[in-house]
Amino acid sequence: MIYFYNAEITKLISSELHAIPPIVQEEAKRYKHENARQAFIAGRLLLQYALKETFPHLQLSDIRYNSYNRPVLDTHYDFNLSHSGNLVVCALGNLPAVGVDIEECKPLNIEEYKDYISDEEWRNLLKAPDPLAVFYGYWTAKEAVVKAAGVGITGEFANISVVKDRVTFMNKQWHIMPVDLFNGYRCHVASAIPETIIIKHIEI
């Protein structure tokens, strides 16, 4: 089972810094840009709430970083965070790997990203009624897979075809699940095994 927590960042939340452990506060202070710092704090607050509700024996202070600087818990539990616009999301589960990505569908020149899209995806995108939404759907699915795998290889995106709900990446099969909750956003969750997604909305 994957728990999907989401929240809107509706206020300046630097004042909530005291609500997270000192070691995590120090991480937040390393962010030079206010928007990045706000997103980091919001993500950790959301994760803290999610852990307390679902796996209370785990805490933010249990977070470690792998060789790709990806935050992890342990071999039995995993989480992943993403933020875009005024939304922050967290996927959490009692499973070895989970990834999530959310993107606000802002206007952009899709041609500039052609190298990140497979040939089949590109053909589908060109004939779609809303190519931008399809592009962001593909992008968030690819990001979710790469984040679940625990690496940061955007150069591999063209080799990850997400036209189906399963994809092979780094010699593993990944299951891709859309989360269509937010107008103007696209979001996907990826995991090593197919799981039911439980949606939870909170206020932070």
Side-chain angles (χ1 to χ4, degrees):
M1 191 171 294
I2 296 173
Y3 297 92
F4 180 92
Y5 287 81
N6 63 96
E8 290 184 57
I9 308 174
T10 56
K11 61 181 179 179
L12 197 66
I13 57 173
S14 290
S15 60
E16 303 296 324
L17 196 60
H18 68 278
I20 54 180
I23 189 171
V24 185
Q25 293 180 31
E26 291 305 311
E27 282 189 81
K29 291 173 183 176
R30 294 188 196 125
Y31 286 86
K32 303 301 182 187
H33 297 290
E34 182 64 25
N35 286 345
R37 186 163 56 250
Q38 292 292 313
F40 176 85
I41 297 170
R44 290 304 189 265
L45 286 170
L46 184 62
L47 175 60
Q48 183 169 255
Y49 181 95
L51 288 173
K52 184 177 180 181
E53 186 173 273
T54 55
F55 306 118
H57 63 288
L58 296 171
Q59 300 177 6
L60 292 186
S61 55
D62 293 319
I63 293 173
R64 301 293 181 265
Y65 289 84
N66 70 10
S67 58
Y68 294 94
N69 206 35
R70 193 251 206 213
V72 295
L73 285 167
D74 63 30
T75 55
H76 301 292
Y77 299 87
D78 196 28
F79 77 94
N80 201 225
L81 296 162
S82 183
H83 62 84
S84 184
N86 69 334
L87 293 176
V88 58
V89 297
C90 171
L92 173 71
N94 182 1
L95 70 172
V98 63
V100 64
D101 190 58
I102 187 168
E103 296 289 343
E104 186 177 7
C105 297
K106 294 180 178 179
L108 53 75
N109 182 0
I110 299 173
E111 286 279 348
E112 294 179 2
Y113 295 84
K114 189 173 182 179
D115 290 343
Y116 299 99
I117 301 296
S118 72
D119 292 341
E120 184 178 6
E121 290 166 344
W122 189 252
R123 288 192 296 271
N124 292 344
L125 191 152
L126 291 180
K127 63 186 181 184
D130 188 350
L132 193 64
V134 174
F135 168 81
Y136 277 110
Y138 287 153
W139 187 272
T140 55
K142 291 168 187 276
E143 277 277 12
V145 168
V146 168
K147 292 172 73 179
V151 297
I153 314 173
T154 52
E156 294 285 334
F157 271 23
N159 299 323
I160 306 173
S161 179
V162 292
V163 294
K164 297 180 181 178
D165 60 0
R166 282 189 294 178
V167 62
T168 300
F169 178 63
M170 295 187 70
N171 300 316
K172 272 189 180 181
Q173 278 240 319
W174 300 95
H175 297 262
I176 306 165
M177 297 153 282
V179 182
D180 296 323
L181 291 177
F182 318 103
N183 289 332
Y185 290 80
R186 295 303 304 272
C187 180
H188 278 86
V189 171
S191 67
I193 51 179
E195 290 283 356
T196 301
I197 297 179
I198 305 298
I199 307 293
K200 305 252 186 178
H201 178 77
I202 72 163
E203 300 289 337
I204 57 172

